[in-house]
Amino acid sequence: MAASFDPGSFGHPATRGATVPPGTTGARRASKGPATRPVGTVTRGTTNTNRLRRMDRWIVHTLGARLRAADPPPVAVDLGYGAAPWTAVELYGRLRAVRSDIRMVGIEIEPARVAAALPYAVPPALTFRRGGFEVPLDGASAQLIRAANVLRQYEEEAVEAVWERLCGRLAPGGLLVEGTCDEIGRRHVWVALGPEGPRTVTFAARLAGLERPSDLAERLPKALIHHNVPGRPVHTFLADFDRAWAAAAPYGAFGVRQRWVAACEALAGQWPLVDARGRWRQGEVTLPWSALAP
């Protein structure tokens, strides 16, 4: 769906076995000298309307107060919006309801995708441009960078450098939201990061049709998906969530939402959840990154 990293710099599968000089990261190597092209390669670009609604809803709730207080008007980025600009257009509409003068920038590495998006632009409020993980904003910083379904095809070892680079493009108090969802937006998991690094992990689902919370494991972001094995925190968390979900089965008589809330209440006795019933009722649950970090 999105721009991706230069295979020579950020651990793309093509670079397996390549040697790196001691103390040198791909991010540092890529930053030397003037940029001659966007950082990345073209990916599939798969996207659907309303695919990222759950993530967007959480962003509006979490970042809304800061967006309203920002001066000058804040800049938001949909990084790697894909073959069609729907996700950028939808995020702009949702953020505009919070801050009417927000500047939304959709960034894609494939020139044809940028050209296809231009008819949907509403400059200067909603614009599209070519770029990659250098996040070209003509000297501005972003209050929000959303990078959904971007890193799944890359090596886990690339993630830290990716996060560091993107967080470096944030304004003070800004937010990077990086994660994965299914094709129609029923299941999401994302990490929220500030300029200082990762803060939280959020699991979100369309509750109707959810058999068990661990079904979300298939949408874990790249930083966590390979750690869903016995003995690792994310595996333990999902196992505990499944047990709480099973124990809350009687609440299903009042609806699946009540069952999810009851499971989250039980889980809060074991894990440091950072949200409460209002968010749980949305089919979400959020933990500190430190609780699940590999």
Side-chain angles (χ1 to χ4, degrees), residues 195-259:
E196 78 287 353
R199 296 176 178 173
T200 60
V201 183
T202 298
F203 297 79
R206 180 180 183 271
L207 298 179
L210 184 70
E211 186 174 344
R212 61 180 66 86
S214 63
D215 290 347
L216 288 162
E218 65 185 24
R219 298 301 165 181
L220 286 168
K222 193 67 176 186
L224 292 174
I225 195 165
H226 300 300
H227 297 276
N228 185 30
V229 294
R232 297 298 181 92
V234 67
H235 185 274
T236 303
F237 169 74
L238 289 171
D240 286 348
F241 206 169
D242 280 353
R243 281 190 287 270
W245 176 256
Y251 288 89
F254 304 102
V256 68
R257 193 184 307 273
Q258 292 302 319
R259 183 180 181 183

Side-chain angles (χ1 to χ4, degrees), residues 122-248:
V122 188
L126 172 62
T127 58
F128 299 92
R129 67 184 304 171
R130 188 182 183 214
F133 283 91
E134 75 282 5
V135 190
L137 294 174
D138 299 327
S141 297
Q143 198 68 45
L144 168 70
I145 299 174
R146 184 186 65 185
N149 303 302
V150 171
L151 296 182
R152 278 184 74 85
Q153 71 179 21
Y154 296 95
E155 298 294 323
E156 181 186 348
E157 291 75 15
V159 171
E160 186 175 356
V162 173
W163 283 356
E164 183 178 358
R165 183 167 192 147
L166 294 181
C167 286
R169 302 296 292 117
L170 293 174
L175 200 66
L176 164 64
V177 181
E178 186 273 306
T180 305
C181 70
D182 67 356
E183 288 73 12
I184 58 175
R186 296 169 301 177
R187 299 172 183 173
H188 291 244
V189 188
W190 62 81
V191 180
L193 305 93
E196 78 287 353
R199 296 176 178 173
T200 60
V201 183
T202 298
F203 297 79
R206 180 180 183 271
L207 298 179
L210 184 70
E211 186 174 344
R212 61 180 66 86
S214 63
D215 290 347
L216 288 162
E218 65 185 24
R219 298 301 165 181
L220 286 168
K222 193 67 176 186
L224 292 174
I225 195 165
H226 300 300
H227 297 276
N228 185 30
V229 294
R232 297 298 181 92
V234 67
H235 185 274
T236 303
F237 169 74
L238 289 171
D240 286 348
F241 206 169
D242 280 353
R243 281 190 287 270
W245 176 256

Side-chain angles (χ1 to χ4, degrees), residues 15-98:
T15 67
R16 288 177 189 148
T19 58
V20 179
T24 303
T25 66
R28 292 191 184 97
R29 290 204 311 274
S31 67
K32 290 182 179 180
T36 58
R37 63 181 179 86
V39 180
T41 57
V42 179
T43 57
R44 291 185 307 157
T46 304
T47 190
N48 282 302
T49 57
N50 229 15
R51 184 183 189 187
L52 300 180
R53 62 194 180 278
R54 300 180 195 282
M55 187 182 289
D56 290 357
R57 184 174 60 196
W58 183 90
I59 287 170
V60 169
H61 169 77
T62 302
L63 202 58
R66 189 167 292 278
L67 291 177
R68 286 188 288 268
D71 183 31
V75 176
V77 172
D78 187 11
L79 183 60
Y81 54 82
W86 317 136
T87 60
V89 173
E90 290 166 352
L91 181 59
Y92 169 65
R94 289 158 183 155
L95 294 178
R96 187 167 178 260
V98 174

